[in-house]
Amino acid sequence: MDAREPVETIQREMTVFARRARASAGRLHPELSLVSYTLLGHLEDSGGCRATDLAAHYALDKSTVSRQVGTLERSGLIERRQDAADHRVQVLHLTEAGRSILAQVTESRRAAFRERLAGWPEPDLERFAEYLVRYNAWAGDAGGASDDA
């Protein structure tokens, strides 16, 4: 088999996956885009960080992150706090409302994944999970994320 064929299939299917993920994000919570959900998740996991850290982590343009942060802040889902170590730095943190919405959307997403994968045998699920971890661990893009990879 030509190695290009599976790579083309993977690329096509990952694109379908990304499109579906973006579309379903709006159904799970109308005001929370997939990017916003992802940023909230990172803020929860990291315990808070600077907007520039979010941009670097996800390989997003600073202006894109700035717009998202502004929207999340106006919605009351995140807040800025002065960094205890450096008072010149503003650190973004989830608010209680942000934690609540993130938890709701996360549970909805988990339920959707459980439903979609319900008929899969356990060894297939484990193998799929291992492949995704391996794929996402690749650091060839300097650790950032991209919609097209």
Side-chain angles (χ1 to χ4, degrees), residues 22-42:
R22 280 192 287 277
S24 70
R27 290 191 300 272
L28 295 174
H29 194 282
E31 294 96 39
L32 199 61
S33 71
L34 183 60
V35 172
S36 294
Y37 171 77
T38 304
L39 296 180
L40 289 177
H42 185 76

Side-chain angles (χ1 to χ4, degrees), residues 117 120-133:
L117 299 169
W120 287 38
E122 189 69 25
D124 287 355
L125 289 172
E126 290 171 2
R127 198 167 28 254
F128 186 46
E130 289 170 13
Y131 290 153
L132 286 173
V133 168

Side-chain angles (χ1 to χ4, degrees), residues 55-132:
H57 181 77
Y58 290 107
L60 293 170
D61 186 76
K62 289 178 187 176
S63 64
T64 300
V65 171
S66 180
R67 283 191 302 275
Q68 292 290 330
V69 164
T71 299
L72 293 170
E73 204 170 12
R74 284 188 297 280
S75 299
L77 303 180
I78 64 171
E79 63 187 3
R80 294 175 192 266
R81 297 184 201 154
Q82 210 172 44
D83 188 324
D86 184 348
H87 295 296
R88 298 170 297 171
V89 175
Q90 296 286 310
V91 178
L92 304 171
H93 292 274
L94 290 177
T95 62
E96 285 306 313
R99 284 185 209 296
S100 176
I101 285 176
L102 181 62
Q104 291 170 18
V105 174
T106 297
E107 186 48 43
S108 295
R109 290 175 61 85
R110 283 184 185 137
F113 275 111
R114 279 190 219 98
E115 181 180 337
R116 188 166 195 135
L117 299 169
W120 287 38
E122 189 69 25
D124 287 355
L125 289 172
E126 290 171 2
R127 198 167 28 254
F128 186 46
E130 289 170 13
Y131 290 153
L132 286 173

